[in-house]
Amino acid sequence: HGGRFGNTVTVNGRISEDLAVTPGERVRLRIVNVANARIFRLTFPGHRPWLAAIDGHAVPPRQFGEEDWLVIAPGARADLILDMAGSPGERFAVVDNSPEGIRYRLADLTYGAAPSAPASARPAPAAWAANPLPEPDLGTATRLSLDMEGGAMGGLQTATFKGETLSGRDLARKHGMVWSFNGVVYPPMKYGDHGDPMFTFKRGESVVMTIRNKTAFAHPIHLHGHTFRVISRDGKPEPDRPWQDTVLLPIDGEAEIAFVADNPGDWMFHCHILEHQKSGMMGFVRVA
Ligand SMILES: [Cu+2]
C-alpha cells in the first residue's frame, strides 16, 4: 500500500553511477525524484550540502549535517549546493536511508585529481533570485479542506464512487479503488472525459487549503499548473513558507497550502505515488 518499491534504484538511468567531482569545487546538484513510489531520504557522508531550491523555487540556503536526511518524495525536486571537501582519489557514497534503518548506496562521488590552484574555503551560498509568482492574499482567500482517507490499516469505511456510496471493502473488491479525497473516490481521468472538478476557482482567486492525511501512509500531493506556498504544517507556521508544487503529507500529517488560482483550465491534483493516483487519489481543480 505504500506503492511498489522494486529492488533496485537507478541514477540518471543507470545503476550505481559514479559522479566524477574535483576536490575543492562547488557543485549544484539537481535531484528529481522520478520513482513511482519511493520516498528518498538522502545523506551525503563526508559532505555538508546546502538546500538551495525546492521544486525549482529558491529557498534561503540551509546547510545539512552529514547525517541529516534530505527527504524527497515522488514528483519533488531539490537543488543542492555541494562543496567537494574530499581529497584526490577518495570515494563517497550518496546514501538513501529507509526509516527501518536500511542504508542503500545510490551512487558514488568519485574524486579526481586536485586542480593546480586549490580552492579556499567557500562562504555560505547566497539565496538565488525568486521566481515571479502571484502572492496569495491570506486575508480574503477561500478556505477549503481536503481530507485523504483509505489504504490498509484502518483506511476507508465508505466513500462515493461514480455517484454510488460503497463500503471500503466493496470499493477495493469490485473496483480496485482504495483511496479517497473528501469522501470521493475519483475514477482514473481520461483525456476528454474526466468528470467533475473537486473544486472550481475564479481566475485570480486566492485559496488556502488544509490537507489532512488520515491514512497510515505518506502521500506527496501534487498540483498541476500552479505553485503554492506551504504556510503551515501540523498547525505550526512553516519557516520561510516555501513555494512548492508537491507537498509530502506524513502519516497523520496536516499541511496548509496557499496559492492564487491564476492559470485557467483543468488541473490535476493528485498523490504522486502512482499506485495511489491510479486507485482513487487523483482529481482535478478547475480555474475558470
Ligand atoms: Cu499516496
Side-chain angles (χ1 to χ4, degrees), residues 102-181:
I102 299 164
R103 292 166 64 86
Y104 185 97
R105 187 181 62 84
L106 295 176
D108 275 346
L109 302 172
T110 58
Y111 278 79
S116 50
S120 51
R122 293 180 184 274
W128 294 329
N131 297 321
L133 290 166
E135 191 66 48
D137 181 344
L138 302 186
T140 63
T142 304
R143 292 189 178 252
L144 303 165
S145 56
L146 186 74
D147 288 358
M148 305 150 66
E149 294 177 298
M153 294 152 68
L156 205 55
Q157 301 305 314
T158 60
T160 305
F161 179 66
K162 296 181 174 173
E164 194 183 358
T165 301
L166 295 168
S167 69
R169 183 184 157 89
D170 281 348
L171 279 161
R173 215 171 37 185
K174 295 181 182 163
H175 302 290
M177 302 303 253
V178 290
W179 308 98
S180 69
F181 281 148

Side-chain angles (χ1 to χ4, degrees), residues 167-248:
S167 69
R169 183 184 157 89
D170 281 348
L171 279 161
R173 215 171 37 185
K174 295 181 182 163
H175 302 290
M177 302 303 253
V178 290
W179 308 98
S180 69
F181 281 148
N182 284 350
V184 178
V185 174
Y186 289 88
M189 290 165 65
K190 295 193 186 89
Y191 185 75
D193 170 26
H194 46 257
D196 296 324
M198 301 166 64
F199 303 110
T200 299
F201 304 123
K202 284 195 301 291
R203 187 175 180 181
E205 186 174 349
S206 287
V207 178
V208 173
M209 189 182 295
T210 303
I211 307 173
R212 293 187 199 91
N213 180 2
K214 299 181 167 180
T215 79
F217 300 86
H219 303 279
I221 297 295
H222 177 56
L223 173 62
H224 288 214
H226 296 81
T227 305
F228 49 76
R229 281 194 186 277
V230 178
I231 60 174
S232 77
R233 284 181 182 272
D234 299 324
K236 290 197 276 291
E238 179 74 348
D240 305 317
R241 298 184 164 191
W243 290 106
Q244 299 179 204
D245 53 45
T246 307
V247 60
L248 179 61

Side-chain angles (χ1 to χ4, degrees), residues 218-220 271 273 276 281:
H219 303 279
C271 177
I273 291 176
H276 296 177
M281 273 195 166

